[in-house]
């Protein structure tokens, strides 16, 4: 199952309160008020299990992985590879199809650079189908986070390929008629987000993959806003690449992951080069390890990988379907409550697609930073600005918006607090 469904049992209030006890930061006070954290779309909080896993690794196992011959190094290597297996299992792929990166942005760039290295003739015969040049097309969308847009702009500029962009309708939904038109025989790669970090809607990825398959194009899925919130099976979705961001799924900053279909990773030339990714090196050339090590040059972020594994185990222990159901309820409540306020326009509210617990909105006549300031004064943390999605905001006719985003630890009372806080902001600025 890829989308939240109404049939799953959402978390009960008692369960959410028990979950909150695992997150020490949720007891914090901000500006004299209990913290109401509604910025998990930017970065999520970490449970004790994740903090403990990183500390335990550092206090009992820390050593250089895949290098040392001593016992501690072997145990550290096992922990590192167990972490890879945990993340692979969480998203339904094989262990050696997960490449560690420092964040999702690096994972997208890894694919873009590997493709342009193939374009300049690296990677041998197997890389032939990855080569890009004049006449080839890369397709992305107008709703992408800049992380899944700018690397493709640059790849097009480096290779002479053309970048095509699937437009949005007036509500912000992907124009699927245009997607069917733009994805054609020249398309080599389609890069699309699973869940918009601004609209919170779950895109019809299955349909996009089916269209791409018809023309033999590869698909890269930006799963940054779906993997933390929905059950995800990347093999079942049949995408070729996917990118994940550790700090949005209860894990640490400094770690992300790239999923790549095994035969594609095997065909891809490296991105970064140096130590840890080679077999033999002479002064003039080098032979590379198979994936995933081929793409993991230099010393890796081992404690962060171990902590990310603890994060996905924690999420799995609660159940992704139940988390999705909880957030779908909160998201619907958030959109309804905000939409009922005079002058508030929730971006994409009219889109008829499943959604996660995230809403971005514009308040007529009041700048998003002012709304954010009033909320912050009451201890409510939200994100304001363009959320790294300027083309989407431009298309919807706003320069900035305020975004409230929930997670498994968010209560209905907190959603009510945001709605009440926005009502207060409107009242304050209308009277001023
Ligand atoms: N894609 C989406 C949809 C995001 O929301 C984000 C982060 O906000 C990213 C990509 C970039 O993730 P990272 O910070 O891990 O590079």
């Amino acid at each position: 199952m890829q989308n939240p469904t109404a049939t799953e049992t959402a978390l009960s209030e008692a369960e959410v309160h028990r979950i909150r006890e695992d997150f020490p930061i949720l007891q914090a006070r901000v500006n004299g008020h209990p913290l109401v954290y509604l910025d998990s779309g930017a970065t999520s909080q970490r449970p004790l299990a994740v903090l403990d896993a990183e500390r335990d690794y550092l206090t009992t196992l820390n050593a250089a992985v895949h290098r040392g011959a001593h016992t501690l190094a072997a145990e550290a290597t096992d922990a590192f590879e167990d972490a890879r297996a945990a993340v692979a299992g969480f998203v339904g792929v094989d262990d050696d199809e997960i490449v560690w990166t420092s964040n999702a942005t690096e994972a997208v760039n890894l694919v873009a650079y590997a493709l342009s290295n193939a374009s300049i003739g690296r990677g041998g015969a197997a890389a032939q189908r990855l080569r890009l040049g004049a006449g080839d097309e890369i397709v992305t969308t107008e709703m992408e986070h800049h992380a899944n847009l700018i690397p493709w702009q640059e790849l097009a500029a480096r290779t002479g390929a053309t970048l095509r962009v699937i437009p949005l309708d007036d509500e912000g939904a992907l124009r699927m008629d245009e997607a069917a038109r733009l994805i054609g025989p020249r398309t080599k790669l389609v890069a699309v987000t699973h869940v918009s970090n601004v609209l919170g809607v779950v895109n019809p990825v299955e349909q996009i993959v089916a269209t791409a398959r018809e023309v033999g194009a590869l698909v890269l899925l930006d799963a940054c806003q779906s993997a933390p919130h929905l059950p995800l099976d990347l093999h079942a979705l049949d995408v070729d690449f996917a990118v994940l961001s550790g700090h949005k799924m209860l894990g640490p900053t400094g770690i992300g992951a790239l999923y790549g279909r095994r035969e594609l990773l095997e065909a891809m030339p490296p991105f970064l080069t140096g130590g840890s990714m080679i077999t033999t090196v002479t002064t003039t050339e080098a032979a590379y390890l198979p994936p995933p090590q081929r793409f993991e040059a230099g010393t890796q972020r081992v404690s962060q990988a171990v902590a990310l594994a603890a994060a996905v185990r924690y999420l799995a222990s609660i159940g992704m379907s139940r988390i999705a159901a909880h957030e779908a309820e909160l998201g619907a409540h958030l959109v309804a409550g905000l939409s009922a306020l005079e002058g508030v326009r929730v971006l994409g509210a009219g889109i008829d697609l499943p959604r996660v617990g995230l809403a971005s909105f514009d308040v007529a006549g009041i700048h998003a930073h002012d709304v954010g300031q009033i909320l912050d004064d009451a201890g409510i943390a939200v994100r304001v600005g363009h959320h790294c999605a300027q083309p989407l905001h431009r298309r919807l006719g706003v320069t900035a918006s305020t975004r409230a985003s929930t997670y498994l630890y968010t209560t209905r009372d907190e959603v009510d607090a945001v709605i009440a806080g926005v009502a207060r902001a409107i009242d304050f600025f209308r009277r001023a």
Side-chain angles (χ1 to χ4, degrees):
M1 192 201 65
Q2 307 297 336
N3 294 339
T5 70
T7 54
E8 290 298 336
T9 319
L11 302 170
S12 69
E13 212 179 304
E15 282 175 294
V16 175
H17 281 283
R18 202 211 45 72
I19 287 168
R20 289 175 69 83
E21 288 169 13
D22 294 335
F23 293 80
I25 200 169
L26 297 179
Q27 306 308 316
R29 292 183 73 80
V30 171
N31 296 327
H33 299 273
L35 169 66
V36 173
Y37 189 74
L38 280 158
D39 199 17
S40 293
T43 200
S44 57
Q45 299 300 347
R46 298 177 214 173
L48 285 167
V50 169
L51 302 172
D52 289 347
E54 188 158 12
R55 186 186 161 87
D56 286 352
Y57 170 82
L58 290 170
T59 50
T60 61
L61 291 179
N62 186 40
V65 299
H66 286 304
R67 286 181 192 171
H70 56 84
T71 303
L72 204 60
E75 288 175 356
T77 303
D78 286 348
F80 186 55
E81 292 305 321
D82 282 353
R84 193 191 305 275
V87 170
F90 185 70
V91 293
V93 303
D94 296 337
D95 304 0
D96 58 356
E97 294 178 314
I98 289 291
V99 176
W100 299 118
T101 60
S102 52
N103 48 37
T105 303
E106 186 187 293
V108 178
N109 276 278
L110 189 162
V111 176
Y113 274 94
L115 293 184
S116 50
N117 285 345
S119 305
I120 57 170
R122 312 285 304 282
Q128 195 65 40
R129 75 175 282 218
L130 301 172
R131 295 217 168 113
L132 280 178
D136 292 327
E137 296 181 357
I138 306 157
V139 175
T140 186
T141 87
E142 202 177 3
M143 71 163 63
E144 299 306 313
H145 187 285
H146 299 160
N148 197 29
L149 174 63
I150 302 170
W152 309 121
Q153 294 174 345
E154 288 292 322
L155 177 63
R158 282 196 300 277
T159 60
T162 303
L163 182 63
R164 304 246 179 251
V165 180
I166 302 170
L168 307 181
D169 68 16
D170 292 345
E171 265 302 311
L174 286 179
R175 291 268 312 270
M176 296 306 289
D177 54 333
E178 284 291 311
R181 194 181 64 77
L182 289 170
I183 301 171
R186 292 170 182 270
T187 311
K188 280 269 180 136
L189 178 90
V190 181
V192 61
T193 194
H194 196 182
V195 171
S196 160
N197 68 316
V198 177
L199 309 171
V201 296
V202 186
N203 282 324
V205 169
E206 293 85 349
Q207 214 178 316
I208 292 173
V209 172
T211 310
R213 287 284 165 261
E214 279 169 25
V215 297
L218 302 173
V219 178
L220 179 141
L221 187 71
D222 179 346
C224 286
Q225 297 289 347
S226 58
H229 305 287
L230 313 174
L232 189 60
D233 183 336
L234 293 172
H235 275 175
L237 263 186
D238 196 29
V239 294
D240 300 286
F241 300 103
V243 302
L244 306 173
S245 176
H247 68 100
K248 294 186 197 293
M249 47 200 291
L250 308 185
T253 50
I255 187 141
L258 168 71
Y259 156 70
R261 194 188 286 284
R262 183 185 291 106
E263 62 268 26
L264 291 170
L265 290 180
E266 276 166 1
M268 273 158 58
F271 165 38
L272 300 177
T273 53
S276 303
M277 45 80 73
I278 48 81
T279 51
T280 46
V281 181
T282 69
T283 51
T284 51
E285 59 185 11
Y288 302 131
L289 281 165
Q293 277 77 25
R294 184 187 303 161
F295 303 103
E296 294 177 354
T299 302
Q300 293 297 298
R301 339 113 177 104
V302 184
S303 65
Q304 293 93 328
V306 168
L308 180 55
V312 300
R313 288 188 184 110
Y314 182 90
L315 288 168
S317 75
I318 289 163
M320 291 310 294
S321 300
R322 301 198 63 214
I323 292 171
H326 173 63
E327 292 186 47
E329 275 186 17
L330 293 179
H333 186 53
L334 185 61
V335 172
L338 290 169
S339 302
L341 301 176
E342 201 195 322
V344 173
R345 171 187 172 207
V346 176
L347 305 183
I351 299 174
D352 188 21
L353 285 172
R355 56 173 60 245
V356 299
L358 176 156
S360 303
F361 55 96
D362 175 58
V363 185
I366 308 176
H367 196 278
H369 285 97
D370 293 330
V371 176
Q373 184 62 56
I374 298 264
L375 293 174
D376 186 45
D377 288 346
I380 303 171
V382 294
R383 173 100 185 251
V384 295
H386 51 65
H387 322 309
C388 300
Q390 288 187 19
L392 180 151
H393 278 85
R394 198 169 295 119
R395 172 65 179 89
L396 296 182
V398 289
T399 48
S401 62
T402 306
R403 181 181 75 186
S405 50
T406 71
Y407 209 174
L408 74 168
Y409 40 65
T410 307
T411 64
R412 198 174 166 93
D413 286 350
E414 290 182 305
V415 171
D416 286 335
V418 171
I419 298 165
V422 177
R424 269 200 316 281
I426 295 170
D427 199 42
F428 177 83
F429 284 102
R430 295 273 148 82
R431 278 199 267 151

